[in-house]
Amino acid sequence: MKLLSVLSLVSLAVAAPPLVSPLATPPSSVRVLGVSLLGSGCPAGTADVQIDASKTLMEVTFSEYIIQTGPGTKAADWRKNCKLTINLAYDEGFQFATLATEMRGFAQIPKGSRGLCSNTFDFTGVPGQTVFSVSLVGEREGPFSLKADPDLVSWSPCGGTSNILNLNSQCNISPTQSQALIAVDRISGKITVNVSLDWRKCR
């Protein structure tokens, strides 16, 4: 589509402000044991999860998470989702929560249209969810960087050295008849969701 050609016009990425600083000292070792993917926004091999050296920032990247509306598109293009199951291992005696998220990518949203992305976190076997939502209101074109704080914070259970964190990411654009786009950033080649992690010792 002609709409995708606008990606070639992006030359500079927006500098991202830091996320909320976690309050507690994190464990000395945090690593990703495994990641499983399911959804239209993350075909096999198109998503990745990394933990930074400080153990307080998790970066989730999507390389084919593209939402489009307008002539020539179909219902499968208007909404994308991805469910990641992330198995995190860390030192015994800690638990963690998701403090804030920041989503970065490219958007072309005309006046009268709106993009909406939500990221929902929960722990396998634990009731309660942490929900983040960010919106892209037209008119705008170019790289975007959107921060969101949770509606509700939930903590991983104590009593082990690993936990399974589920991330369900969804994005859509409305109305569907207007040409609009949420896509990977040309500079990085991906949509990025940065997640600030808070750690505390189990009591």
Side-chain angles (χ1 to χ4, degrees):
M1 283 184 62
K2 177 182 178 182
L3 200 54
L4 286 175
S5 68
V6 299
L7 292 173
S8 64
L9 300 177
V10 182
S11 60
L12 293 174
V14 174
L19 292 177
V20 176
S21 298
L23 302 177
T25 301
S28 59
S29 174
V30 180
R31 65 189 188 280
V32 179
L33 294 181
V35 178
S36 63
L37 309 173
L38 179 65
S40 57
C42 54
T46 65
D48 183 54
V49 179
Q50 298 290 331
I51 304 291
D52 81 336
S54 73
K55 318 297 191 300
T56 61
L57 183 68
M58 179 172 68
E59 184 180 78
V60 183
T61 59
F62 304 94
S63 59
E64 291 190 19
Y65 204 141
I66 300 173
I67 302 94
Q68 298 179 82
T69 58
T73 63
K74 52 188 181 299
D77 302 318
W78 306 337
R79 178 186 299 269
K80 299 288 183 177
N81 80 290
C82 181
K83 182 176 181 180
L84 287 85
T85 301
I86 306 164
N87 191 354
L88 285 182
Y90 45 87
D91 300 339
E92 188 174 5
F94 284 87
Q95 62 181 163
F96 71 95
T98 54
L99 272 186
T101 67
E102 179 180 32
M103 179 173 273
R104 287 180 286 169
F106 179 91
Q108 184 188 37
I109 310 291
K111 186 176 181 179
S113 293
R114 178 174 180 257
L116 178 65
C117 295
S118 65
N119 298 303
T120 303
F121 297 87
D122 65 76
F123 297 98
T124 297
V126 178
Q129 296 179 325
T130 301
V131 181
F132 303 82
S133 295
V134 292
S135 62
L136 289 160
V137 180
E139 181 176 9
R140 64 184 299 155
E141 179 177 332
F144 69 84
S145 177
L146 295 173
K147 291 177 61 176
D149 293 323
D151 296 328
L152 179 68
V153 173
S154 58
W155 289 86
S156 65
C158 288
T161 58
S162 68
N163 270 292
I164 294 177
L165 175 65
N166 302 302
L167 163 59
N168 190 8
S169 177
Q170 300 182 64
C171 287
N172 66 80
I173 301 173
S174 62
T176 60
Q177 65 268 23
S178 300
Q179 275 199 329
L181 172 74
I182 300 174
V184 297
D185 188 284
R186 183 181 180 276
I187 301 302
S188 63
K190 59 195 177 186
I191 279 182
T192 302
V193 179
N194 285 330
V195 184
S196 180
L197 302 178
D198 191 17
W199 294 92
R200 70 184 184 189
K201 290 187 176 181
C202 294
R203 299 176 180 176

